[in-house]
Amino acid sequence: DAGITQSPRHKVTETGTPVTLRCHQTENHRYMYWYRQDPGHGLRLIHYSYGVKDTDKGEVSDGYSVSRSKTEDFLLTLESATSSQTSVYFCAMGLAGSTDTQYFGPGTRLTVL
Amino acid sequence: QKEVEQNSGPLSVPEGAIASLNCTYSDRGSQSFFWYRQYSGKSPELIMSIYSNGDKEDGRFTAQLNKASQYVSLLIRDSQPSDSATYLCAVNINAGNMLTFGGGTRLMVKP
């Protein structure tokens, strides 16, 4: 609805395999964010981007990397997935002109066996 | 101490009552405050934003901000069963481009 999508929506993978999650927005917003949501921990910021090729770490960045080669796409990569990375991952975009207002994508449920 | 705190609930209210959700934050310099609603299995959905002390009303929702006491609250009037969800408080800590979220309060509205 807000012009932000995530793919895949569900993924099951095995420990040690690489995984890439994609976030795509059609609103031309400068800021994009990756969060994970776990019971008892709430939403925690993994990485964020403030422009093409401009990214920075969040609260729980270990084991994750990101890339943003185009305004509309923000990729999250788990280089070698671990069971502790089983979670629901949300992407968000920052509204132009008010960068601290964020709109969320539908989420990706990732299970690492 | 967490930077943004909420009572996890569940908060149970009867249909038609006022639901009051509270959030406290640690950084006195915070300027922007948000309430999100999240239904089970869905993504957070922005309900309200508030930037100045006082009340801000939008339909059945009222956000209240008290920077001196470092709390922000959300009132839901005439609560409906469809309001049953988890409500997340988010604060722009340190005036950066990042939000810090509370753990959320689960609201249950009983018919």
Side-chain angles (χ1 to χ4, degrees), chain B residues 40-51:
Chain B
S40 181
K42 302 295 185 181
S43 61
E45 170 192 12
L46 182 67
I47 299 176
M48 299 272 297
S49 59
I50 186 167
Y51 303 93

Side-chain angles (χ1 to χ4, degrees), chain A residues 31 33 35 37 40 42-43 45 48 57 90 98-106, chain B residues 2 32 34 36 38 41-44 46 51 88 92 96-99 101-103:
Chain A
Y31 292 86
Y33 308 82
Y35 293 88
Q37 188 173 39
L43 274 165
L45 183 66
Y48 69 101
K57 297 179 180 180
F90 289 104
S98 176
T99 54
D100 52 5
T101 303
Q102 296 180 19
Y103 293 89
F104 284 81
Chain B
K2 293 183 179 178
S32 307
F34 304 87
Y36 287 83
Q38 186 175 25
K42 302 295 185 181
S43 61
L46 182 67
Y51 303 93
L88 304 172
N92 186 323
N97 294 309
M98 295 182 287
L99 296 181
F101 286 81

Side-chain angles (χ1 to χ4, degrees), chain A residues 62-77:
Chain A
D62 287 349
Y64 302 95
S65 62
V66 291
S67 65
R68 192 166 178 202
S69 58
K70 299 184 290 184
T71 298
E72 58 265 36
D73 290 326
F74 191 33
L75 303 181
L76 176 71
T77 297

Side-chain angles (χ1 to χ4, degrees), chain A residues 46-87:
Chain A
I46 304 171
H47 282 279
Y48 69 101
S49 170
Y50 47 96
V52 173
K53 296 191 181 239
D54 293 322
T55 64
D56 206 347
K57 297 179 180 180
E59 178 188 357
V60 289
S61 59
D62 287 349
Y64 302 95
S65 62
V66 291
S67 65
R68 192 166 178 202
S69 58
K70 299 184 290 184
T71 298
E72 58 265 36
D73 290 326
F74 191 33
L75 303 181
L76 176 71
T77 297
L78 291 65
E79 301 289 348
S80 178
T82 68
S83 59
S84 64
Q85 294 176 311
T86 292
S87 186

Side-chain angles (χ1 to χ4, degrees), chain B residues 69-80:
Chain B
S69 299
Q70 295 175 240
Y71 81 79
V72 57
S73 61
L74 179 70
L75 301 179
I76 306 174
R77 290 182 300 281
D78 188 25
S79 295
Q80 300 298 309

